[in-house]
């Protein structure tokens, strides 16, 4: 397909992905189980699109609105992770599991009060603890989801761990964090700092990459 066709298809896919993730978060909030039969075909289409032409879907990762940030961030992280995994030359069946984990990495935020999720000011320590608990919640929810792989679980459970051991929830360091968890951590931060939020303007991708390298302190 030509790029204009791919862009039209990518826009429709992006809209649909945001809707599916929004509905899924609503279901999880009500205590319902994640329906993998909805998630798997969606992820398959995202992976297909990135394999056909990543330039169609990737630019959409930067488009987010304040009230829908949580859902749109999940879709962006899925898109970026798929592209990252493809660039690393990982096998397609592993990329699919990474993409599932990326799409579902923040599902635990359904258990965090809206007032904390969308607070425009700095969180208090108590609020930040509640926010950090979303990772534990994501892991609990995903462990109870039939058909979820260990790879997908690693992405979700480890995306806030940091190589130097300063992350959460388990202060894992270096090789204690799986490759997929490390990838998730990089992409999650990259998408957050390149997005416009109430409290900061997103930085351009080149600047974001420079920051990530600085923070890595090689």
């Amino acid at each position: 397909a030509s790029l204009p066709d791919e862009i039209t298809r990518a826009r429709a896919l992006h809209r649909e992905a945001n809707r599916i993730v929004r509905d899924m978060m609503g279901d999880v909030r009500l205590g319902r189980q994640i329906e993998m039969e909805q998630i798997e075909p969606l992820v398959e289409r995202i992976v297909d699109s990135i394999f056909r032409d990543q330039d169609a879907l990737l630019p959409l990762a930067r488009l987010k609105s304040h009230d829908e940030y949580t859902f749109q961030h999940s879709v962006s992280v899925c898109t970026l992770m798929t592209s990252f995994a493809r660039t690393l030359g990982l096998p397609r069946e592993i990329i699919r599991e990474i993409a599932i984990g990326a799409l579902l990495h923040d599902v635990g935020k359904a258990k965090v009060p809206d007032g904390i999720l969308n607070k425009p000011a700095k969180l208090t320590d108590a609020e930040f603890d509640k926010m950090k608990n979303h990772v534990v919640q994501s892991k609990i929810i995903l462990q109870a989801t039939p058909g979820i792989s260990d790879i997908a679980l690693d992405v979700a459970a480890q995306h806030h761990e940091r190589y130097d051991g300063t992350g959460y929830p388990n202060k894992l360091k270096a090789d204690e964090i799986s490759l997929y968890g490390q990838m998730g951590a990089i992409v999650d931060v990259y998408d957050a700092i390149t997005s416009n939020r109430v409290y900061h303007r997103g930085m351009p991708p080149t600047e974001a990459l420079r920051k990530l390298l600085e923070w890595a302190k090689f």
Side-chain angles (χ1 to χ4, degrees), residues 22-33 35 38:
R22 185 177 58 224
D23 292 349
M24 176 197 72
M25 295 287 263
D27 283 348
V28 169
R29 185 165 285 178
L30 296 172
R32 297 193 189 120
Q33 206 170 37
E35 291 180 27
Q38 258 215 316

Side-chain angles (χ1 to χ4, degrees), residues 30 40 54 56 59 133 158 186 206 210:
L30 296 172
E40 285 174 340
Q54 61 183 15
N133 189 47
Q158 298 178 354
I186 292 167
T206 44
R210 211 181 70 220

